Amino acid sequence: MKMWRMSRGPWLSVAAAASCCLGISLPLLAAAGNPLPEGVGREVTMLDAAIRAAAVGWAAFLLIFGRRFERATTGTFFLLACLGVAWPMLASASYAAALMAAFLAYAAAMLVYAFVPRLAMAVACAWPLAGLYAAHVYFSGSFSPRWLLFLGLLVAGALLGALLPKAALAVVSSGIGTLLLWLASPLDFGFWSVAMIFAGGVLWQAAIAPVFFPVIPASLAVDNNSLSAKRLRWFGALKTGAVVLAAGAFAAALLAPRIEPASASQKARLEALSKQGALLRPGLLFSPADAFYLGGRPIETALVGGSGTPWDRLALPLLGHSPAASVHRLRAVKEPAELETMRRAAAITSKAFETIAPMIRPGVNEKEVERAILNSFQKNGANGIAFPCVVGSGRNATLPHYMANDAVMRDGFAVVDIGCALNGYASDMTRTFSVNDRYTEAQKKLLELLVQAGDAARARLKAGASYAALDKAARDVITKAGFGPYFNHGLGHPVGLDVHDPYQDKLMAGMVVTIEPGIYIPAGSPVDRPYWDLGARIEDSYIVTANGFEEITSFPKIPPERTALNAGK
């Protein structure tokens, strides 16, 4: 007779899991559409909804039960890690090769887990603390992480996994659960939301749940250190991993909607890809922008290529490959209608700078400027935003991708990086204003230096040039002036259906690209004190031509001082 120790633990755990799932699902279902949606938007399909629901459900399970289900936690980590490495490397050649490589790497990792669990837990626990710091850097908008701190957190996590493997399970499972929630949710998570979910999972599993969870029945107890138990654990992990990979592959193959061209231009694009041999075998697109480009539907998972028969779906896991690289090369060169749309989007974005220029002054909140930008976009015909607005003043201007937009402007610079979207196509433009009436000498010098750096890049901007050469030309100007360490991002990027279109180093006629040199000097830097807490960037968008470029954004690269603006009224 099995003797169960009855307690309220199971019911509390089930109630907590249900509450968590409900609390996560309701906001997702109730999320209202923004009057200015970002990019091409998202069309929800049955497959996409199922993937998101599965990810959210598994995230909730790991956040609540992950420490108790040791093999599920470690298996999830190693399967995701192995798939994340193998897929980008091999999927363009063969899905079968990518899945097999992921499975073999997973088998090796779980073998280590079965026979040397402390080593496996050291690897699994190395990333959550460092990942949380990386999330802090990302959400703050900084491009300057403290690498020693990042390395220290990696080592601390690995030591925790090696020395306290049971306690480390709470950290690993909470880290995976938080990551899955962030990736699966269409909601905008800030850093503190991510940190609270992670910390709540760790606290629940490490301190609260053990008080309520019942003891495992004696009849189910096994000697986990015996050789037979280790073998069983490993074979069980292999079977589970194989089932998950196979089920995921065939579910995507059977349920992914097939892309059908909705216009003559989309039909021509599919024909061009077919002539290149990119669509001889079936493949999946995992980008709404790619699906929109080829079929007019912004869906996250779409089937393309092959013979167009049901056999494609059955054969896809074995014979399929990713056509994404070929699609991205085709997307890079814009057609005349695409270029016209992007010119209009750039004009709308340029107009917004005329609207907000008089607003940049002490006492105005960054949020007021953001609202004025969005109102200007709507008034002038935009039907989306390319990315969330960046309005960073004072110290916030030193954070290239600061998006909190919640501080009152007092002094220094105000960096405004914005772009509307028109019919799915993005624009991108940045200007740097003085918050006070006039530019200081330090402010004027930085802005003039950025113009010179941009001029050096523009002198080389034409078809056949490389982005790397343009970047070096601009960077040399800034480095020669003594500010090289403070230009901490690339010179620019392609623009299209995504504001950061897939990167192409060699420029071709018809591409749309940005040039955006920037300098960001935090307080305490080894430069003269007047430069402290100054961040500046000047960005414009260009159509690459055979012999040069066409600049499609327009506003003075060094905005007029506010006294000059007032005098012109």
Side-chain angles (χ1 to χ4, degrees):
M1 180 178 178
K2 294 181 180 179
M3 299 298 295
W4 291 82
R5 179 178 295 179
M6 301 301 293
S7 77
R8 293 174 297 170
W11 305 109
L12 287 172
S13 302
V14 171
S19 299
C20 183
C21 291
L22 189 63
I24 294 166
S25 300
L26 286 180
L28 299 185
L29 295 174
N34 192 309
L36 284 176
E38 186 175 340
V40 297
R42 297 289 188 275
E43 178 185 332
V44 178
T45 65
M46 182 172 65
L47 176 60
D48 299 332
I51 291 172
R52 288 184 182 274
V56 168
W58 192 246
F61 173 83
L62 290 174
L63 284 165
I64 298 169
F65 300 112
R67 187 186 181 196
R68 187 155 178 84
F69 292 88
E70 180 180 331
R71 195 171 70 193
T73 294
T74 52
T76 299
F77 167 75
F78 284 116
L79 191 61
L80 290 176
C82 294
L83 194 59
V85 172
W87 194 265
M89 294 174 60
L90 298 171
S92 60
S94 167
Y95 287 155
L99 292 171
M100 181 57 67
F103 178 74
L104 292 176
Y106 167 76
M110 293 308 288
L111 185 65
V112 173
Y113 159 70
F115 289 89
V116 195
R118 288 182 183 272
L119 176 58
M121 285 307 302
V123 173
C125 198
W127 74 273
L129 299 180
L132 190 64
Y133 173 67
H136 166 69
V137 172
Y138 172 81
F139 284 113
S140 72
S142 172
F143 283 173
S144 301
R146 298 179 182 177
W147 292 108
L148 283 178
L149 175 58
F150 182 79
L151 230 97
L153 291 171
L154 279 175
V155 172
L159 288 174
L160 175 64
L163 300 176
L164 300 169
K166 294 294 184 184
L169 278 170
V171 176
V172 175
S173 59
S174 298
I176 301 170
T178 303
L179 179 62
L180 288 175
L181 275 184
W182 180 42
L183 293 175
S185 171
L187 303 180
D188 289 329
F189 281 142
F191 170 72
W192 290 111
S193 299
V194 170
M196 287 176 65
I197 293 171
F198 174 73
V202 172
L203 179 64
W204 164 261
Q205 295 189 73
I208 302 174
V211 176
F212 297 104
F213 270 70
V215 176
I216 298 177
S219 59
L220 299 182
V222 294
D223 181 4
N224 286 320
N225 293 317
S226 69
L227 183 60
S228 60
K230 290 177 179 179
R231 287 173 177 167
L232 286 172
R233 191 157 57 225
W234 183 50
F235 282 116
L238 292 189
K239 182 174 68 175
T240 302
V243 168
V244 169
L245 287 175
F250 280 102
L254 296 174
L255 297 177
R258 177 176 281 279
I259 283 295
E260 298 293 344
S263 66
S265 61
Q266 290 160 0
K267 184 177 180 181
R269 292 165 190 166
L270 286 168
E271 289 174 352
L273 289 170
S274 296
K275 289 178 181 177
Q276 297 171 16
L279 302 183
L280 293 178
R281 292 182 285 158
L284 293 173
L285 299 175
F286 295 104
S287 161
D290 287 344
F292 183 81
Y293 180 71
L294 295 180
R297 297 180 61 192
I299 54 182
E300 295 181 352
T301 309
L303 177 68
V304 293
S307 61
T309 65
W311 167 250
D312 288 337
R313 296 185 179 276
L314 296 175
L316 187 137
L318 298 176
L319 304 179
H321 76 121
S322 172
S326 298
V327 176
H328 294 164
R329 282 193 295 271
L330 191 64
R331 271 179 57 185
V333 177
K334 306 300 187 287
E335 299 157 7
E338 293 178 289
L339 292 176
E340 186 54 36
T341 299
M342 296 190 70
R343 288 188 184 97
R344 290 167 55 202
I348 294 170
T349 297
S350 302
K351 190 73 175 175
F353 279 101
E354 297 177 15
T355 300
I356 65 164
M359 296 180 63
I360 308 297
R361 61 181 185 273
V364 175
N365 193 288
E366 296 164 353
K367 188 64 67 178
E368 296 177 53
V369 177
E370 180 183 20
R371 281 196 293 266
I373 291 165
L374 296 178
N375 289 337
S376 177
F377 284 172
Q378 286 184 297
K379 177 183 175 182
N380 290 293
N383 47 28
I385 56 171
F387 55 92
C389 298
V390 173
V391 183
S393 62
R395 184 172 298 176
N396 297 331
T398 66
L399 304 172
H401 274 188
Y402 166 85
M403 286 182 283
N405 303 344
D406 61 358
V408 174
M409 290 187 276
R410 301 190 186 283
D411 54 21
F413 272 141
V415 173
V416 180
D417 186 349
I418 57 175
C420 76
L422 183 63
N423 301 331
Y425 286 87
S427 60
D428 196 2
M429 184 178 178
T430 306
R431 288 295 183 267
T432 301
F433 300 83
S434 175
V435 173
N436 296 303
D437 287 349
R438 296 181 179 275
Y439 294 110
T440 66
E441 287 302 314
Q443 289 176 333
K444 191 178 297 184
K445 180 175 179 178
L446 287 185
L447 291 178
E448 289 173 349
L449 182 59
L450 291 180
V451 172
Q452 293 168 21
D455 287 342
R458 282 183 284 273
R460 294 161 176 78
L461 178 57
K462 63 180 180 179
S466 75
Y467 238 135
L470 271 63
D471 184 288
K472 184 178 185 306
R475 202 169 296 276
D476 285 348
V477 171
I478 294 173
T479 300
K480 186 177 179 180
F483 295 100
Y486 309 106
F487 180 16
N488 53 16
H489 57 70
L491 178 68
H493 53 84
V495 185
L497 288 170
D498 290 317
V499 69
H500 283 211
D501 248 17
Y503 184 77
Q504 307 283 334
D505 184 60
K506 185 177 180 180
L507 302 181
M508 297 171 281
M511 287 180 65
V512 179
V513 300
T514 68
I515 290 179
E516 49 179 307
I519 298 173
Y520 315 92
I521 308 173
S525 298
V527 296
D528 292 342
R529 195 181 186 92
Y531 294 101
W532 287 7
D533 277 337
L534 291 182
R537 181 165 68 255
I538 300 174
E539 176 184 21
D540 284 288
S541 296
Y542 305 86
I543 298 173
V544 180
T545 63
N547 299 311
F549 59 86
E550 174 192 343
E551 186 169 344
I552 58 175
T553 44
S554 60
F555 189 79
K557 288 182 169 43
I558 300 180
E561 294 174 324
R562 192 151 48 82
T563 51
L565 284 173
N566 292 335
K569 289 183 178 179

